[in-house]
Amino acid sequence: MVSPNVSVIVRTRNSAATLPATLSSLRSQTVPVRVVVVDSGSTDATVSIARDDADQLVQVPGESFSYGGALNTGAEAAPGPVQGSLSSHTVLPRPDWVEIALSHLDAGAVAVCGGDVDGGGRPLRAPLSADAEYLSRHRYWGFTNTASLWRADVRSAHPFDETLVASEDQEWSWRVVADGGVLVVDPRLTVSGSHRRTAGLKAYHQRMVREIRALEHLRPLAHYPLWQGVADWVRSEPVDPFVSRVRPFGRTRLLDIAARWDAGRQQRHGKVPQPRTRHRASSGNGEVRADV
């Protein structure tokens, strides 16, 4: 049997409740996919599920986990000219997801993901090719590793930043398009992001703050006073790029505003996001254990 040309990395930690559906959506694709699970210290049935249903299992110590590090470790263990990522808390919404994404890579894109709005927050009706100039004008829009594909040689030349505590996907996309690549965002490939809020309001707030703070090294946060947060809550289109374009007066927008304000407060008080420790994978047959 010919090995699939596409390897998809699924990062897990205690994902037993959602992982079977995630893997099933990959197995149902019209294009064969090699599934690589990178687990960071699960204590539930995640590892057992991955051993049974994934093609390859990579285990990394939970204390050294970073989003970028897990992707680099999985990519280094995964064969094939095309790689990608899928959250263990979501599913691909259509069986030709990988096939559509591959068509964009074949046409010259360096990376592909889904999205339902363009950089200006307008509904996206057709695939959008974003170059460096476009992403520079829309810094907080674009690539997401919730579900994505990329060229393996591009990831090898530009590894994900392993020191970031979040937002490794957006930061990576800025570097690869600056090197002459094009990112394609296709509305047909949009996946649900509801998993970000299922862990509870506190976890969602903390995640948003981490993501906002992680991008500071490329664009420092502007001061965000309380009055601006109130104005962004009631506006039809909020001014701050981190605030969601969902309906005014809604809870999601209020949570985004609270996270934006808290991130700015941490910055003013000099609180520095802590980088993660690098972890590397050793070779193995099907299952790999990565050590710090």
Side-chain angles (χ1 to χ4, degrees):
M1 179 178 179
V2 178
S3 178
N5 289 325
V6 180
S7 293
V8 175
I9 302 158
V10 180
R11 296 172 293 192
T12 62
R13 183 170 187 178
N14 293 334
S15 306
T18 57
L19 184 58
T22 300
L23 300 183
S24 178
S25 75
L26 288 169
R27 296 303 188 198
S28 300
Q29 290 297 298
T30 56
V31 175
V33 173
R34 182 175 181 83
V35 180
V36 180
V37 169
V38 179
D39 185 76
S40 57
S42 289
T43 56
D44 63 2
T46 297
V47 170
S48 176
I49 294 169
R51 285 196 178 110
D52 290 341
D53 299 333
D55 297 298
Q56 195 166 1
L57 170 65
V58 180
Q59 294 179 272
V60 300
E63 63 273 14
S64 68
F65 169 84
S66 75
Y67 292 103
L71 286 177
N72 286 336
T73 298
E76 289 161 6
V82 175
Q83 299 168 337
S85 173
L86 179 62
S87 168
S88 63
H89 302 290
T90 193
V91 298
L92 296 180
R94 50 192 299 164
D96 58 351
W97 195 101
V98 171
E99 185 176 352
I100 293 172
L102 279 173
S103 71
H104 293 305
L105 295 180
D106 290 341
V110 296
V112 184
C113 66
D116 53 10
V117 297
D118 65 13
R122 296 174 293 269
L124 198 57
R125 306 299 185 192
L128 189 158
S129 295
D131 59 11
E133 191 275 333
Y134 190 90
L135 289 188
S136 70
R137 287 190 288 113
H138 305 289
R139 264 311 162 133
Y140 306 111
W141 168 92
F143 189 62
T144 172
N145 274 327
T146 298
S148 61
L149 283 190
W150 61 77
R151 283 173 35 198
D153 60 336
V154 173
R155 201 286 325 169
S156 181
H158 302 279
F160 290 97
D161 189 330
E162 303 187 6
T163 67
L164 295 178
V165 296
S167 299
E168 86 298 331
D169 39 15
Q170 286 182 287
E171 189 276 337
W172 178 81
S173 71
W174 300 339
R175 283 187 283 120
V176 298
V177 298
D179 199 35
V182 174
L183 163 70
V184 171
V185 178
D186 190 327
R188 295 173 295 175
L189 304 181
T190 302
V191 299
S192 172
S194 62
H195 66 279
R196 297 164 62 86
R197 294 185 290 275
T198 56
L201 298 183
K202 181 178 180 181
Y204 178 77
H205 175 80
Q206 293 173 337
R207 177 170 181 163
M208 283 294 299
V209 171
R210 288 197 304 270
E211 291 179 355
I212 295 169
R213 295 293 314 275
L215 299 178
E216 285 180 37
H217 69 300
L218 289 177
R219 177 172 289 186
L221 293 175
H223 180 51
Y224 194 68
L226 182 60
W227 67 263
Q228 186 173 335
V230 173
D232 276 345
W233 191 44
V234 304
R235 288 184 175 114
S236 59
E237 290 290 332
V239 172
D240 193 85
F242 284 110
V243 178
S244 172
R245 264 65 180 170
V246 297
R247 63 183 177 86
F249 302 103
R251 185 179 70 168
T252 296
R253 188 181 288 193
L254 184 60
L255 289 170
D256 291 347
I257 290 168
R260 173 64 178 86
W261 187 88
D262 198 18
R265 179 187 61 82
Q266 290 183 15
Q267 181 192 46
R268 293 193 303 275
H269 292 172
K271 185 177 179 180
V272 180
Q274 295 300 309
R276 301 291 186 171
T277 304
R278 171 73 169 105
H279 52 250
R280 297 185 182 275
S282 58
S283 61
N285 296 322
E287 183 170 334
V288 179
R289 184 173 297 276
D291 302 312
V292 176

